[in-house]
């Protein structure tokens, strides 16, 4: 079983809609959670971090964490074509010095 | 702060040749990581340094791979006797000093080195 699971997509949404990206993880000791955006051929770029249950908002992005369900999500409001990318979920386990990444969900925002 | 720098950006090599990649982390970061990413997959952990000490090495890493970080500054990743299966994007990342800060701020990735073994 992979540590971090994501639906590979592609997820297609129209411009202006809300995109919802989901991630589940297997290790209950996980403490920190990140969403990275990766454009084709480029390296991952950190867009959100969360480590407490609940919601965290930053501009058009909202990260949601539910540790009991081992589930983390990313909502993108007012989606723009420039949001079209692969979104990687990363999970850190306390006192372990590395993050585990999911395979990513490809998002297409159609004009 | 110029971010994490990786060199070269692209490398094409013949099977069996040795290659070496370089990573310069953000200056105040003392943790440095190497990851490998193949098409359609997320980054996979290879190895990790805190200052000059290599503290963890993935079981994915065969004996053909070696990494160093002399003096706790830049790092090099060498692959000996390259194989076609080594073709991938090699990503370097660095992170800020404390585990707590890393939990909050995550990694900063470099632009990566894309290796193609022909």
């Amino acid at each position: 079983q992979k540590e971090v699971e994501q639906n590979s997509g592609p997820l297609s949404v129209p411009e202006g809609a809300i995109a919802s990206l989901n991630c589940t993880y297997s290790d209950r000791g996980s403490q920190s959670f990140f969403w990275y955006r990766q454009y084709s051929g480029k390296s991952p770029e950190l867009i959100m971090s969360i480590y407490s249950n609940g919601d965290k908002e930053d501009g058009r992005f909202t990260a949601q964490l539910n540790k009991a369900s081992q589930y983390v999500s990313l909502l993108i409001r007012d989606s723009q074509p420039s949001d079209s990318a692969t979104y990687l979920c990363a999970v850190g386990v306390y006192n372990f010095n590395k993050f585990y990444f999911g395979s990513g969900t490809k998002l297409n925002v159609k004009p | 702060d110029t971010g994490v720098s990786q060199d070269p950006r692209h490398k094409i090599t013949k099977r069996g040749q040795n290659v070496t990649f370089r990573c310069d982390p953000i200056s105040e970061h003392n943790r440095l990581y190497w990851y490998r990413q193949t098409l359609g997959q997320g980054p996979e952990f290879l190895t990790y340094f805190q200052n000059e000490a290599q503290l963890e090495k993935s079981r994915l890493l065969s004996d053909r791979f070696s990494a160093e970080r002399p003096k706790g500054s830049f790092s090099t990743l060498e692959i000996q006797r390259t194989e076609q299966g080594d073709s991938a994007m090699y990503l370097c990342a660095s992170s800020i000093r404390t585990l707590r800060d890393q939990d909050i701020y995550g990694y900063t990735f470099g632009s990566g080195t894309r290796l193609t073994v022909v």
Side-chain angles (χ1 to χ4, degrees):
Chain A
Q1 181 187 4
K2 295 188 71 174
E3 290 87 357
V4 182
E5 298 273 4
Q6 293 182 257
N7 188 321
S8 61
L11 173 66
S12 292
V13 300
E15 184 175 356
I18 296 175
S20 178
L21 305 163
N22 304 315
C23 170
T24 58
Y25 59 94
S26 60
D27 193 326
R28 287 195 173 273
S30 301
Q31 295 285 329
S32 54
F33 308 87
F34 303 87
W35 284 98
Y36 284 82
R37 177 175 61 198
Q38 187 172 29
Y39 292 112
S40 181
K42 303 296 186 181
S43 63
E45 170 194 13
L46 180 67
I47 54 172
M48 288 288 288
S49 64
I50 186 167
Y51 51 93
S52 299
N53 278 327
D55 295 359
K56 178 180 177 182
E57 187 175 320
D58 184 0
R60 295 186 297 112
F61 299 99
T62 299
Q64 299 174 318
L65 175 61
N66 184 326
K67 290 186 179 180
S69 300
Q70 296 176 245
Y71 177 92
V72 58
S73 65
L74 178 71
L75 300 178
I76 306 175
R77 290 181 299 281
D78 188 24
S79 296
Q80 302 296 309
S82 59
D83 295 326
S84 297
T86 295
Y87 289 80
L88 297 165
C89 174
V91 173
V93 179
Y94 185 68
N95 268 345
F96 284 78
N97 293 295
K98 60 181 181 287
F99 299 148
Y100 295 97
F101 285 83
S103 298
T105 298
K106 186 174 176 62
L107 173 66
N108 290 329
V109 180
K110 298 183 177 181
Chain B
D1 179 2
T2 57
V4 179
S5 299
Q6 290 190 248
D7 184 71
R9 295 291 302 275
H10 303 275
K11 178 71 176 180
I12 300 174
T13 190
K14 291 184 178 179
R15 188 177 51 168
Q17 297 295 304
N18 299 343
V19 293
T20 300
F21 310 141
R22 177 178 169 126
C23 172
D24 287 88
I26 293 172
S27 57
E28 62 266 30
H29 288 184
N30 69 346
R31 291 196 172 85
L32 186 148
Y33 300 80
W34 287 99
Y35 278 77
R36 177 173 65 190
Q37 187 177 25
T38 54
L39 196 63
Q41 300 298 315
E44 291 180 299
F45 171 80
L46 294 179
T47 190
Y48 148 69
F49 290 85
Q50 180 161 320
N51 300 314
E52 67 275 10
Q54 186 174 19
L55 297 186
E56 189 173 348
K57 189 173 174 180
S58 168
R59 286 170 290 177
L60 295 173
L61 224 55
S62 75
D63 291 342
R64 298 184 296 105
F65 288 72
S66 63
E68 293 183 342
R69 192 184 181 195
K71 303 180 182 178
S73 55
F74 71 92
S75 176
T76 58
L77 177 68
E78 181 183 17
I79 308 174
Q80 296 181 329
R81 304 181 303 281
T82 52
E83 301 173 356
Q84 286 188 321
D86 297 331
S87 296
M89 173 81 87
Y90 289 83
L91 293 164
C92 176
S94 68
S95 72
I96 206 163
R97 282 187 295 274
T98 66
L99 273 176
R100 181 61 174 170
D101 287 341
Q102 180 173 284
D103 281 349
I104 297 171
Y105 299 112
Y107 295 158
T108 300
F109 280 96
S111 298
T113 294
R114 181 166 297 282
L115 173 66
T116 303
V117 182
V118 297

